[in-house]
Amino acid sequence: MTDVTQQLPLAIEPPPRAASGLIGWLRANLFSSAFNSILTLLGVAFLAMTIPPFIRWAVVDAVWSAPNSRACAGAGACWAFIHEKFRFILFGTYPYEEQWRPFWAVLIFLALILASCDRRLWGRRLVLLWLAGLAVVGVLMWGEVFGLSYVGTELWSGLPLTLIIAVVGIAFAFPLAILLALGRRSRLPAVRTICVAYIELIRGVPLITVLFMASVMLPLFLPTGVTIDKLLRAQVALILFAAAYLAEVIRGGLQAIPRGQIEAADALGLGYWQRTRLIVLPQALAMVIPPLVNTFIGTFKDTTLVIIIGLFDLLGTINASLNDANWRGTSVEAYVFAAVFYFCFCFFMSRYSYMLEREFNKGRRR
Amino acid sequence: MTMKRRLGALLAVGLLLGFGATAQAGATLDKVKQNGQISCGVPTGIAGFAAPDSQGHWAGFDIDICRALSAAVFGSADKLKYVPLTAQQRFTALQSGEVDILSNNTTYTLQRDTALGLNFAPVVFYDGQGFMVAKKLGVKSAKELNGATVCVQPGTTTELNLADYFRANKMEFKPVVIEKRDENLNAFFSGRCDVFTSDASALNADRLSQAPNPDDYVILPERISKEPLAPVVRQGDEEWDDIVRWVVYALIEAEEKGITQKNVDDMLKSDDPNVKRMLGVTPGMGKALGLDEKWAYNAVKLVGNYGEIFDRTLGKDTELKFDRGLNNLWTKGGLLYAMPIR
C-alpha cells in the first residue's frame, strides 16, 4: 500500500499581514498612511501632555475637605468648595429646612422624563402622568396646602429651577410649534401671515432680547401694583422663543412628506385634522428627530441665560456661590462641575434621540 | 395729525402711564405693612455686599441695610423678600413697584437721581477706582503708568473711567479686557498685565485673598473716580424716602454714640438726651416717621450699628478685610456724618 496522502510541494509564504485583531485594527484605522500615522502620533502626544496634568490637578493633588479656599490653596483642585456648596448649588435659596421638597420635585421630574423615554407608555396615559406629576411638583414647590409652608418663586433656584424652565418650556413650546408649522403651510392667508410674522419676528431677535423685554419692558407697561411673577415672565418668554425655532424644524419635516401621502389620505376621505394627525405628523416628526433634539438641547442650555434677569438656575447658583468671601478663587472647580452636569444631561438626550431615530426610521434604512 | 405724530402721542401717553403712575405719596409704607414684608432688590452676588451663604441665606452689607429697615418698620429683621436684580433690571424693578428699595451697590449720580425718577438715601459706602501693580515695577504713582498693559472688566464704568483718566493725563495704555473678575485677577497675578484696576476697596480684598504673595503687590494712592453707593427708593413717596434715610442715619449715629447690639439695652438708661430721643426713651421721633418709637432701638438691637455691620460683612471679621478708610465716622477721619435725630 502506498501512501495516498501525497505531499504537494508548497512554497513557503510569509504569514499574512494581520487584518484582524488589535494590530490589524490599529493598522487599518490609525496607521493606514504616513499622514495618518503622523496625525495619530500628534494626537497621542497631545493627550499625553494634557491628561496627566489634568488628572494630577483633578484627583492626585485635589483637596477634598477644607474650611475655606485659603486652606485649599495649592496645586490641585479645591473640591472642598463643591462639597461645601453642593446643597446650595442644587437648591439655592430655597429655605434650607424645606429642601426635601425641591429634592422630591427633581426626582419626580427625572422619573417623568425617564418614563417618557419608554415608547410603550406613549399615549394618553403619559399625558395624564405628566399633568399629575407637574401638579405634585407645583404643590411641593409652592406649598401652602397640606400643611406645607408657602415658598415664593423668587426663592426657587438651582437644579429644580433649571428643570422646570427647560421641561415646561419644551413641553409647552412643542405643541405651539406644531400649530405654527401647520399654520405657516396653511392655505388661509391670514393664518399663514400671522404665523410667518411671528416666527420671523422671534427668530430675528436673540433670546436675551426676549428675556429683557419680558423682565424689563413689560413691567413698565403694566398698571402700578400689578406685577407678574418674574419666573412666569421668563418661562413664557422661553416658550415663545423655543416655539419659533421648533416650528421651523417641524416645517422641514412637513415639507418632506411626499404629495402622494396627502393625496392618498384625501382619497381615503380623511379630513384635514385626521389627515394631519394620522398621516402627516407621525411621518414628519419621525423624520426630524435629530434637528428636534438638537433644538431641545439648545433650549436646555439656553435656560442658563435667565441669569441675566436675576433668576438663579443651576449655573446661577454656581455663580452666586463663587461670591462667598470665604471661597474666592474657586471658579475653575465650579465651572468644571457645571460642565460635567450639563454634559451628562445633553449627552443623555442625544444618545436617546439616536436610539429613537433608528427605531422610527427602520423602514427607511438602506 | 400725521401718523407719525399720532404714534408719538401714543408713546408719550404710554410712558406717562408707565412712569407717572409709580409716584404716589405714602403708598409704600402702607403696602409694605399690608404685605407684612419689604421687597428688597439686591445684587445677584457681590462678595461681602450680597451673596447667599452655603445654606442659601442672603448675607452681606447690602442685605444688612435691608434688615435694619425691616427691624425699624416691623420690629423683626427678617420680614424681607429678597429679589436678586442685575444692574440692567434694577431701576425698572423699583419703578414698577416690584421692589420697595434697592440695596444694590448703586452709584449715586445726577442722571439717576433726576431722569430715572429715583431718590437716593444717604451714601452707605464710599468707594473709588484705584490701581494695583506689582511692587517690583517700582511705580509710586498712577502718573507713571504711561504705556502700561491694564487688566480691566468690560462694560463697566471702571473701563470708561480708565480710558478717561489716561486720556486726561495724555498717557497711553494697552487694555486686556477679560469678562470674569477671577480670570482677570489670574491674568494679572500671572503677569499678563502690569496693572489691575477696579474699585479700591475690592482691590485690597483681592490682593489679600487672591495674590500668591500679597506683599508683592501695592495699591497706588490715586483714586480716579468717585463711587458713592447708596440705597435707592422711588421718587414721589417722601414718607418712605424719609424712613430709609433716617434708618441709615440711625445706624451711623448709633456707632458715633457708642450704641452697639450688645449694650443697646443699657443705653436705654443713658442720660444723653440725644441717645434718649433716638432710642425712643423720649418719644416723638418714631411718630414723626410713622413708625414705632422703638424703630432705631430695634434696628441696632437686631442688626447692629454701622461699624458692626461693616466689620461683620466687609471689614476685619471677614476674609475680605476692607479698610474703613472713607467709610469711617467723620470724627475718625471718614465721611460718615449723620444728621441730628431730633
Side-chain angles (χ1 to χ4, degrees):
Chain A
M1 285 283 281
T2 52
D3 195 357
V4 287
T5 56
Q6 203 181 357
Q7 287 272 306
L8 287 171
L10 272 177
I12 296 168
E13 285 184 14
R17 293 178 72 181
S20 60
L22 183 65
I23 300 202
W25 184 88
L26 280 178
R27 193 172 281 153
N29 292 296
L30 298 178
F31 298 100
S32 57
S33 69
F35 181 65
N36 282 355
S37 304
I38 291 172
L39 280 188
T40 301
L41 290 177
L42 282 179
V44 169
F46 176 75
L47 290 180
M49 262 157 57
T50 50
I51 289 186
F54 180 79
I55 301 276
R56 206 175 310 128
W57 176 82
V59 182
V60 181
D61 289 346
V63 182
W64 301 90
S65 76
N68 56 42
S69 60
R70 191 180 294 267
C72 229
C78 182
W79 299 122
F81 167 73
I82 303 291
H83 182 246
E84 164 79 17
K85 295 287 179 185
F86 192 64
R87 257 180 88 164
F88 177 75
I89 289 174
L90 284 189
F91 303 121
T93 51
Y94 204 91
Y96 195 71
E97 302 73 27
E98 302 282 330
Q99 283 179 357
W100 59 272
R101 285 157 55 179
F103 175 73
W104 280 102
V106 167
L107 284 191
I108 291 174
F109 257 125
L110 294 180
L112 283 174
I113 294 170
L114 286 178
S116 319
C117 291
D118 189 347
R119 281 187 66 196
R120 280 168 300 179
L121 286 174
W122 286 14
R124 205 154 290 162
R125 259 190 315 169
L126 190 66
V127 176
L128 290 177
L129 201 65
W130 267 98
L131 289 179
L134 287 180
V136 175
V137 166
V139 167
L140 276 174
M141 294 299 286
W142 261 299
E144 218 176 17
V145 282
F146 306 127
L148 296 172
S149 58
Y150 172 75
V151 179
T153 52
E154 78 278 355
L155 294 175
W156 299 12
S157 33
L159 184 56
L161 190 77
T162 292
L163 286 178
I164 287 173
I165 296 177
V167 172
V168 174
I170 290 169
F172 280 79
F174 191 56
L176 183 61
I178 292 179
L179 291 181
L180 282 170
L182 291 173
R184 192 163 181 171
R185 285 169 57 77
S186 167
R187 283 197 213 106
L188 308 171
V191 173
R192 195 174 56 228
T193 316
I194 290 173
C195 290
V196 170
Y198 173 83
I199 291 172
E200 293 306 327
L201 179 75
I202 298 284
R203 286 206 309 167
V205 291
L207 178 57
I208 291 192
T209 317
V210 180
L211 285 174
F212 263 128
M213 281 297 284
S215 82
V216 179
M217 295 300 288
L218 186 68
L220 283 179
F221 297 114
L222 291 173
T224 319
V226 179
T227 51
I228 302 177
D229 189 85
K230 199 159 78 163
L231 175 59
L232 183 64
R233 276 182 270 153
Q235 183 72 74
V236 171
L238 194 84
I239 291 173
L240 296 180
F241 187 81
Y245 277 83
L246 285 173
E248 285 300 274
V249 169
I250 294 170
R251 186 167 68 100
L254 293 178
Q255 278 173 347
I257 301 289
R259 182 101 199 107
Q261 293 281 328
I262 294 167
E263 282 161 3
D266 286 341
L268 284 173
L270 297 178
Y272 175 77
W273 289 109
Q274 278 177 316
R275 185 183 77 203
T276 307
R277 193 163 58 86
L278 299 172
I279 309 287
V280 178
L281 278 182
Q283 298 185 65
L285 293 181
M287 243 180 296
V288 292
I289 287 174
L292 214 50
V293 174
N294 204 19
T295 316
F296 283 169
I297 292 176
T299 307
F300 179 70
K301 289 193 283 192
D302 279 350
T303 58
T304 53
L305 282 177
V306 298
I307 289 179
I308 58 149
I309 57 168
L311 287 174
F312 287 149
D313 73 329
L314 192 86
L315 194 60
T317 52
I318 287 174
N319 266 335
S321 60
L322 287 174
N323 284 306
D324 189 329
N326 292 323
W327 292 96
R328 307 201 53 208
T330 43
S331 52
V332 176
E333 289 83 348
Y335 292 131
V336 166
F337 180 75
V340 168
F341 171 83
Y342 280 97
F343 177 79
C344 288
F345 261 75
C346 297
F347 188 68
F348 169 76
M349 280 198 263
S350 66
R351 291 314 296 180
Y352 177 66
S353 93
Y354 182 60
M355 205 187 82
L356 269 189
E357 197 189 318
R358 273 198 315 192
E359 207 148 295
F360 276 126
N361 292 336
K362 266 182 188 149
R364 246 189 298 279
R365 263 167 74 197
R366 300 211 166 115
Chain B
M1 220 191 239
T2 61
M3 190 64 199
K4 221 177 193 175
R5 264 215 205 135
R6 206 173 299 163
L7 263 176
L10 241 152
L11 222 120
V13 170
L15 285 178
L16 270 180
L17 279 175
F19 291 106
T22 56
Q24 336 144 271
T28 311
L29 184 60
D30 293 343
K31 181 192 135 195
V32 159
K33 280 190 168 158
Q34 196 192 333
N35 291 348
Q37 61 180 8
I38 300 168
S39 180
C40 174
V42 299
T44 52
I46 300 177
F49 286 94
D53 64 14
S54 300
Q55 266 98 51
H57 302 299
W58 284 94
F61 186 82
D62 289 347
I63 302 300
D64 278 352
I65 299 294
C66 278
R67 294 184 71 230
L69 183 66
S70 165
V73 173
F74 292 111
S76 155
D78 300 312
K79 304 251 182 212
L80 285 166
K81 174 174 143 183
Y82 298 110
V83 182
L85 296 168
T86 60
Q88 294 87 351
Q89 281 179 303
R90 52 188 175 178
F91 299 125
T92 319
L94 183 63
Q95 285 158 349
S96 70
E98 194 181 339
V99 297
D100 306 311
I101 174 176
L102 286 183
S103 187
N104 201 310
N105 277 34
T106 314
T107 305
Y108 193 157
T109 68
L110 185 144
Q111 286 230 329
R112 287 172 176 174
D113 198 10
T114 54
L116 286 180
L118 307 173
N119 269 1
F120 283 87
V123 173
V124 291
F125 193 87
Y126 291 93
D127 214 334
Q129 190 175 334
F131 295 108
M132 172 157 59
V133 296
K135 210 177 240 172
K136 63 175 190 282
L137 288 183
V139 174
K140 290 280 175 295
S141 152
K143 297 259 167 29
E144 303 166 28
L145 290 176
N146 196 6
T149 313
V150 184
C151 273
V152 64
Q153 279 175 282
T156 54
T157 47
T158 313
E159 195 186 8
L160 302 175
N161 291 334
L162 172 71
D164 285 352
Y165 180 79
F166 274 77
R167 196 173 308 133
N169 288 293
K170 298 197 173 49
M171 300 193 296
E172 301 275 323
F173 74 102
K174 286 195 238 33
V176 173
V177 180
I178 302 174
E179 173 79 40
K180 281 272 162 202
R181 191 179 184 87
D182 271 355
E183 288 164 29
N184 227 324
L185 282 166
N186 280 342
F188 171 68
F189 288 128
S190 64
R192 258 186 77 194
C193 7
D194 309 318
V195 186
F196 178 69
T197 182
S198 160
D199 286 348
S201 53
L203 270 188
N204 196 38
D206 291 335
R207 185 178 72 91
L208 291 173
S209 67
Q210 307 267 66
N213 182 8
D215 293 333
D216 289 347
Y217 299 90
V218 285
I219 293 166
L220 300 178
E222 283 85 356
R223 294 291 170 269
I224 65 168
S225 73
K226 291 184 198 165
E227 306 284 346
L229 311 179
V232 197
V233 294
R234 275 183 292 280
Q235 195 166 308
D237 186 347
E238 305 307 328
E239 190 188 359
W240 183 245
D241 186 13
D242 286 344
I243 292 172
V244 175
R245 180 172 303 278
W246 287 98
V247 167
V248 173
Y249 283 145
L251 298 176
I252 297 172
E253 184 74 3
E255 188 184 6
E256 191 177 331
K257 296 285 175 204
I259 310 172
T260 64
Q261 219 167 351
K262 273 217 188 79
N263 73 8
V264 63
D265 285 307
D266 299 332
M267 281 299 200
L268 288 173
K269 298 182 210 92
S270 162
D271 293 327
D272 184 341
N274 289 314
V275 174
K276 283 173 133 176
R277 267 196 299 273
M278 184 171 128
L279 296 182
V281 180
T282 315
M285 301 302 120
K287 185 163 177 291
L289 285 171
L291 298 176
D292 190 86
E293 292 296 345
K294 291 267 183 207
W295 64 283
Y297 167 85
N298 283 331
V300 177
K301 171 87 184 165
L302 299 172
V303 185
N305 68 34
Y306 183 93
E308 289 175 294
I309 294 175
F310 191 99
D311 290 345
R312 182 172 61 220
T313 56
L314 301 168
K316 57 180 165 58
D317 301 342
T318 69
E319 291 286 320
L320 297 172
K321 308 255 185 293
F322 279 22
D323 286 329
R324 283 295 291 266
L326 291 177
N327 300 296
N328 213 332
L329 296 173
W330 63 289
T331 49
K332 293 178 184 165
L335 290 175
L336 299 179
Y337 182 101
M339 304 304 141
I341 296 176
R342 64 182 303 146

